[in-house]
Amino acid sequence: MTKSASGSPNGAAPSPRIWNVKEYAPPTLDDREPGGYAESADAGLDRTAIVIDNGSSTTRAGWSFDNAPRMCFPPAVSRYRDRKASRTYTLVGSDAYADAATRGQIRTAFEADTGIVSNWDVMEHVLDYVFLKLGVDGAEGGVGRSIVMTEPLANLGYARRTMNEILFECYSAPSVAYGVDSLFSYSYNKGTTGLVVSSSHSSTHLIPVVDSRPMLALTTRLSWGGHQNADFLLKLLQLKYPHFPGKMTSGQAEELVKEHCYISLDYEQEVGGYLDWTGLEVRDHIIQYPFTEQVVVQKSEEELARIAEKRKESGRRLQEQAAKMRLEKLVKKEQELDYFKDVLRQGADATKKDFKRLLESNDFETEAQLEKTIKELEKSIKKARTKDVGGAEDEEEEPSFPLLDVPDEELDEAGLKQKRQQRLTKSNVEARARAKAEKQREKARLEEEKRLDEERRENDLAGWIQDRRLARDRLLQQLKDRQRMKADLGNRKSLASQLRMKSIANLASDNVGSKKRRRGGDDDNFGANDDDWGVYRTIAVGDQSDDDEDEDISSGLKSLEAELLQHDPDFTEAQTHSAEADWTKSIVHAFLRGARPFDPDSAREAHQLHLNVERVRVPEVVFEPCIAGLDQAGLVEIAADILTQRLTPANLAGPTGPTAGPTGPAADTVLKDIFLTGGNTLFQNFDERVRRELVAASPAGSPLAVRRATDPLLDPWRGAARWVNHSVHDWKKAAVTREEFLERGADHIKEHALGNSVSS
């Protein structure tokens, strides 16, 4: 039974839309020839530069006179060893993702979760690759062109110093200028006063800009970006599907975030009803991993009917054979009974010596044994005839033990032996009588408990219902614990499996010293102590005992729920365990398997992931970091704090006084231009969500405008190229020349409106 998009359980659900999982696809080179070295010479060495957007996820490089970067690739390096040729190849950028062998050896230039370069060996390979693809011939002993490079906000002095040393000493660059990527993007989109919200691969920054001057002292960092989104989604899926047969990677998670996640305009309301059956088929995205389906040969109806007829015929033949065997056994017993009765009659006419010889020839020691055998045969024959014909069995006669009252002195050896046998028989009869009496007492006790329970239910219904609910909760917890234990035993890394293996190892260690055992000095006494069977139960994984105990718990649960349904008006059929286990009523099933039934025997369905709540939960972290356990304020809270608390005349004052009048520019001016840039702002509804929440956090009537960069990914590079082309004076003034590097050292930096400050 399935539920349709309208929520009807009997409606026909549309065919599911399934997305195949995608591996990380690195960006590739531009369609144009990379080159451009000769073109830069024709345009003038003092008016052109190599522009590099040195991002932590993608490196973009090109010439300042281009409209777009000529190459985009991940800043990664992989080394591959060709054993046949005895050569080691170094693969840079997209080539490092060529196959599984090279992907396993990838190293990136940046520190994890930051935009700071930490692996300078990889960075040198990346720069070599850039200059090679741009056609730099190195004939003059260096690149021979000025370099403009982006760097993260508040870049570390050590990282900038090392980069200066590499560019000036290894590549002999004539000059180098650095700038912040988000400020380049804001400048390219003609921004002068506003709040720059840069959410990139490794972090999110909010930078207030006033009159084209960034207020870096008021800038705030949120440690969340696209990389953290992918990691968070990967962790959520691993928790959601702990035994998933496929291999989930961070690259796949990154592609899932880009393709399936979006920003919710009202997160609390949407996530609260995300798993409702109405429309779940549309909201639930199914991700298919590679699998191998088992081929099951489907039989036709004629073949199935023929197989059923064969089984029926085989059953009939077995029944006939069993009836024939029972008849043969009955005839044989009747013949034996007639023979033994004839022996008993012969003994009445024969002498005592001849009768004893006759008994010994038939394997009897005494006449009592013969009479006992005759009675047992009569009883067995009567029972077999009653079973075949039908009807009630006769009650057994009360056994008698006449020899127990006779003193031993009056009995011979055969009589003593018969007396001992009667004593043993009497003990058995008395034991059965005691067991029967115990059963009767137990039955009476249960009936008394039932009477008292009914009496309590009539006198205190609320307390009786509360006790029943508590007992039901205990049984449910036991059932869950057993299910969890079974799941843990299936995982060799779980604590339950490790404890089981430890017990087995301890048992094995007890048998160390096999030489002593071979000599017969070490007897195996396992089982002599009751604790041994406790260890056995701990390590046993047999299905029979587990199934029996589960069945006992389930039957007790059904009994309690039946009583609650009868007497508790607040307990409904939908609250029963069987109803909750029904997938059409289970929110857990909706979360794990969507709006359709799940077939555990299907390899296709076992290799499927269902993205539903994660689609809005993962990108929501940038607005509510506490979702991922991040102890920071959200993006809108930070923006509101900057706009309402930090943008004061004292903070906005320059060296000679306020930047715009005696009171400084109002926050309203900044509110008029909320600028979004960076790849993590490309989520659907990101700009509208920022606008709505800032409207709620701003004073009534405040002017507010939110806009996104023309291209949040490429605008930082385009802004740096435009800076070189249209602001040559500012670029030359901000660049550190090779002469200044040699004179003042690698720590020398020049401040400008698009870069970091010395204090940062």
Side-chain angles (χ1 to χ4, degrees), residues 584-604:
T584 61
K585 302 175 183 177
S586 171
I587 192 172
V588 176
H589 179 92
F591 177 61
L592 294 175
R593 302 300 174 185
R596 293 172 176 82
F598 174 66
D599 181 9
D601 296 328
S602 172
R604 175 188 294 274

Side-chain angles (χ1 to χ4, degrees), residues 76 202 282 373 399 495 591 690 735 754:
S202 58
V282 178
T373 301
L495 179 62
F591 177 61
V690 172
L754 300 177

Side-chain angles (χ1 to χ4, degrees), residues 595-719:
R596 293 172 176 82
F598 174 66
D599 181 9
D601 296 328
S602 172
R604 175 188 294 274
E605 295 186 21
H607 287 76
Q608 288 178 352
L609 298 178
H610 289 256
L611 293 181
N612 35 62
V613 179
E614 298 83 8
R615 296 180 61 203
V616 294
R617 184 181 183 188
V618 170
E620 181 68 19
V621 177
V622 75
F623 294 95
E624 298 184 47
C626 60
I627 293 176
L630 194 63
D631 189 16
Q632 285 188 265
L635 185 148
V636 176
E637 293 179 73
I638 296 173
D641 181 65
I642 292 174
L643 295 171
T644 59
Q645 302 295 328
R646 304 189 197 178
L647 284 178
T648 62
N651 289 333
L652 298 174
T656 59
T659 59
T663 59
D668 290 350
T669 309
V670 179
L671 270 172
K672 291 179 181 179
D673 190 14
I674 307 298
F675 179 74
L676 308 179
T677 186
N680 204 40
T681 65
L682 290 174
F683 287 114
Q684 178 187 348
N685 300 330
F686 193 99
D687 51 349
E688 180 62 20
R689 173 71 178 276
V690 172
R691 188 192 68 79
R692 288 190 181 187
E693 295 204 2
L694 279 180
V695 166
S698 303
S702 299
L704 177 66
V706 179
R707 64 183 178 123
R708 185 184 274 128
T710 306
D711 190 333
L713 299 177
L714 296 182
D715 281 0
W717 185 93
R718 288 172 175 160

Side-chain angles (χ1 to χ4, degrees), residues 256-283:
L256 292 177
V257 170
K258 292 178 182 178
E259 187 174 0
H260 300 279
C261 293
Y262 66 94
I263 298 292
S264 172
L265 296 178
D266 189 344
Y267 177 74
E268 295 294 337
Q269 180 179 358
E270 184 167 357
V271 79
Y274 213 94
L275 296 177
D276 291 346
W277 289 104
T278 303
L280 183 59
E281 295 91 345
V282 178
R283 294 189 298 271

